Amino acid sequence: MAEKARKRPGQTRPRRLVKPVAKAVPVQDDSVELLKKELEDKLGLLTEANRQLKRKIFDLYTIFEISRNFNSVLKYQNLLDTFIFTCLGQIGALKAAIFLKQEGRTDRFHMVQSKGSGSFPAPEEFFRADSKLSAYLTRLNRPSMTADLLNELSTLEDIRILQHFHPGIIVPIIYQTRLIGIFALAEKMSGREFQMDDIEFLSILGNQIAVAIENARLYEEERMATQQLRIAQAQLIQSEKLAALGEMSAKVAHEVNNPLGIIKNYLLLIKRGQQPDTEPNKYTGIVEQEIDRIAGIVRQLLEFHRLQPLPFEKLYIKDVIENVLTFTERLLTSNLIKVTADVCPDCPPIMGDAQNLKQVFLNLIINARDAMPDGGSLAIKVRPNGDELTVEVADSGPGISPEIIPRIFDPFFTTKEPGQGTGLGLSVCYGVIKSHGGSITFRNTHPGGCFVIRLPVAGKEKTHESRD
């Protein structure tokens, strides 16, 4: 092993080279702040993106639910209520209103529904369908801020309406390429501005409500057409029944008229054959009166077949009713029926035939008597109602089963026991009232039932015939 070299005297040991240690350079505070701010900005963007994504998901879910509900709501008013309440809840607006075209006026949009707090346009105010504003909304086909519309696009009429919703947003309701309505929302309750999410939500919902409104309108038109068809069919059936009754009545009248004429001629011969100083037989006078009454009934039967104008004259329904009550008073009191008549003393006159109208009220009173064999009450009420007189004849009887009410005016239909009714009374009443340009209906009043007659006042009647 080699010996270590000894240090010689006077000899210096060589120095060892030592590398200097590098000192840590401190990071500047500004760089940390910049990095921190950059991270916060990215976090803020991610948070906002997440919020917008959640909002879009919520809006899409809401629109899906609303669309499903819209398709199931076919009643026009319920549809509009659902739409406005949904928008108010989703957007958080103070108020909202929807403007649509009204029946018979296709050149303007009137406010048909509104919800929320604050003032709204007057009923007579409207958007014109052919205005610059309407044309602009149709071309844009997207919601627009009221601030952008209060310019040269708007007329004074438009400005008066827009100011009720300013600051706010206007949503065009477009079906296919036609502007069918305008939806207006006021500012948010929070005071915040409308965001792009709000505009997109309202744009999609506007398209959905346009389709739903059109479906509801078509459904309503179909329902009305079906109802009118049913009414026309019912009137046709009733007319055919009356025509058949008229033919039969003509045959009966012809057969009865001949023996009546012979009887009357022989009564006349008997009266002429009496001695001048002999007291006339009072029974021959009674027989003659009854024959005249039968002859009058026969003439009425003939009217079912002969479409001749009735000899109408101006009369007061009060006089007709009082006359009928006078000669039915004994009939009603003997059956323990209390009668009350509430006839308006200053009711306007009508144009009609007094004898035919007396027959109507006589039939109704007899029917009421038959419905109350143990007694009861009969109330007659007459009131003017615009261009009509409304006459109500109500009794305290058992009423009529709802399933047979549509048939009570049919000829030969009766609920009475065999041999107690012919089923012609109400049919005759229907024909007489119809010939006067009026209507007769029945409703149950629990207890009892009520016939309602409507007759046009003099000067307001339609062209009439004796029978349809």
Side-chain angles (χ1 to χ4, degrees):
M1 187 174 176
E3 292 184 4
K4 292 183 180 180
R6 292 182 179 179
K7 181 181 177 182
R8 295 179 181 178
Q11 186 179 4
T12 58
R13 184 176 294 178
R15 293 182 179 180
R16 183 180 299 174
L17 296 176
V18 179
K19 293 182 179 181
V21 179
K23 293 182 179 180
V25 180
V27 180
Q28 297 296 328
D29 292 339
D30 293 343
S31 300
V32 174
E33 290 298 326
L34 289 173
L35 181 60
K36 183 178 179 181
K37 187 175 184 305
E38 184 179 354
L39 290 174
E40 288 177 350
D41 290 343
K42 289 183 178 180
L43 182 61
L45 291 174
L46 290 174
T47 303
E48 178 63 20
N50 185 47
R51 186 196 66 79
Q52 291 181 359
L53 182 60
K54 287 183 178 179
R55 170 67 187 270
K56 287 184 183 296
I57 293 174
F58 183 70
D59 286 350
L60 289 174
Y61 177 76
T62 304
I63 291 172
F64 172 76
E65 289 295 323
I66 292 172
S67 300
R68 188 171 63 177
N69 291 333
F70 281 173
N71 292 332
S72 62
V73 177
L74 292 175
K75 289 188 177 180
Y76 200 65
Q77 206 61 40
N78 293 347
L79 178 65
L80 299 181
D81 288 341
T82 303
F83 172 65
I84 295 181
F85 277 127
T86 301
C87 291
L88 287 177
Q90 187 76 3
I91 303 299
L94 285 171
K95 59 183 177 181
I98 188 167
F99 297 78
L100 298 173
K101 294 178 180 178
Q102 292 183 332
E103 186 177 357
R105 297 306 301 262
T106 60
D107 60 338
R108 57 186 64 178
F109 299 103
H110 282 274
M111 186 175 67
V112 296
Q113 188 60 281
S114 61
K115 300 292 179 184
S117 59
S119 63
F120 287 93
E124 63 271 12
E125 294 179 328
F126 56 86
F127 290 108
R128 290 194 177 275
D130 57 353
S131 66
K132 290 183 179 179
L133 179 64
S134 298
Y136 173 77
L137 292 173
T138 304
R139 289 196 308 270
L140 184 65
N141 197 12
R142 284 182 63 81
S144 182
M145 306 303 296
T146 54
D148 299 331
L149 300 176
L150 289 169
N151 51 32
E152 65 274 6
L153 287 172
S154 303
T155 63
L156 291 177
E157 295 174 335
D158 300 331
I159 291 173
R160 279 197 296 268
I161 299 175
L162 292 175
Q163 285 177 342
H164 287 280
F165 304 95
H166 181 68
I169 192 167
I170 303 298
V171 183
I173 301 175
I174 297 177
Y175 179 73
Q176 295 178 346
T177 58
R178 294 181 293 107
L179 183 69
I180 66 171
I182 295 174
F183 183 54
L185 290 99
E187 62 181 334
K188 292 186 177 183
M189 290 184 287
S190 63
R192 297 178 180 177
E193 296 182 353
F194 288 96
Q195 303 297 319
M196 186 56 65
D197 294 337
D198 300 321
I199 295 176
E200 290 181 358
F201 173 79
L202 291 172
S203 181
I204 297 174
L205 201 61
N207 293 332
Q208 294 292 327
I209 190 63
V211 176
I213 287 175
E214 193 66 16
N215 288 341
R217 186 185 65 80
L218 293 174
Y219 171 78
E220 188 67 17
E221 288 181 356
E222 183 179 357
R223 188 185 66 82
M224 291 297 296
T226 303
Q227 184 178 359
Q228 292 175 358
L229 179 61
R230 288 176 179 172
I231 293 174
Q233 288 175 339
Q235 291 176 344
L236 179 61
I237 293 172
Q238 189 70 17
S239 298
E240 290 178 351
K241 290 178 179 178
L242 290 175
L245 178 60
E247 292 181 6
M248 184 205 69
S249 301
K251 294 177 181 178
V252 172
H254 177 74
E255 296 299 326
V256 173
N257 251 338
N258 290 334
L260 277 180
I262 295 172
I263 294 172
K264 196 165 185 177
N265 287 334
Y266 276 101
L267 280 174
L268 183 61
L269 292 175
I270 292 173
K271 290 174 67 177
R272 287 180 178 177
Q274 291 179 342
Q275 298 297 327
D277 56 347
T278 305
E279 182 180 355
N281 191 336
K282 64 178 181 178
Y283 295 112
T284 60
I286 294 175
V287 171
E288 189 174 12
Q289 290 178 5
E290 291 303 307
I291 290 175
D292 289 338
R293 190 167 72 88
I294 293 172
I297 294 173
V298 169
R299 284 194 300 271
Q300 292 175 359
L301 287 174
L302 285 172
E303 289 173 1
F304 275 98
H305 185 63
R306 298 172 184 170
L307 297 178
Q308 298 177 355
L310 292 173
F312 281 6
E313 60 183 1
K314 186 178 291 187
L315 56 87
Y316 291 90
I317 201 71
K318 176 177 179 291
D319 298 336
V320 175
I321 293 175
E322 288 179 350
N323 188 278
V324 173
L325 290 177
T326 298
F327 62 81
T328 57
E329 180 181 5
R330 185 180 182 86
L331 171 71
L332 296 173
T333 54
S334 63
N335 284 271
L336 304 177
I337 296 174
K338 181 181 179 181
V339 181
T340 58
D342 182 11
V343 182
C344 176
D346 55 350
C347 282
I350 65 170
M351 295 299 296
D353 181 76
Q355 294 302 321
N356 278 273
L357 292 175
K358 286 179 183 179
Q359 184 180 355
V360 170
F361 292 111
L362 180 61
N363 280 334
L364 296 182
I365 290 173
I366 291 175
N367 279 351
R369 187 276 312 268
D370 294 341
M372 300 180 290
D374 299 324
S377 62
L378 176 67
I380 301 176
K381 181 178 179 181
V382 181
R383 286 290 182 271
N385 184 17
D387 294 339
E388 295 179 330
L389 282 184
T390 301
V391 184
E392 296 182 355
V393 182
D395 63 64
S396 59
I400 299 176
S401 300
E403 60 270 14
I404 66 173
I405 288 178
R407 301 180 57 195
I408 60 175
F409 297 107
D410 291 352
F412 308 110
F413 178 81
T414 180
T415 58
K416 297 179 181 179
E417 297 294 329
Q420 295 185 6
T422 61
L424 292 176
L426 290 180
S427 178
V428 170
C429 293
Y430 177 88
V432 170
I433 298 300
K434 195 88 184 296
S435 71
H436 283 71
S439 65
I440 178 171
T441 57
F442 176 86
R443 68 171 186 268
N444 285 314
T445 53
H446 304 291
C450 178
F451 284 93
V452 181
I453 298 173
R454 292 181 173 85
L455 293 168
V457 300
K460 303 296 182 180
E461 63 276 1
K462 300 177 181 178
T463 303
H464 57 268
E465 288 183 344
S466 62
R467 294 294 182 270
D468 286 345

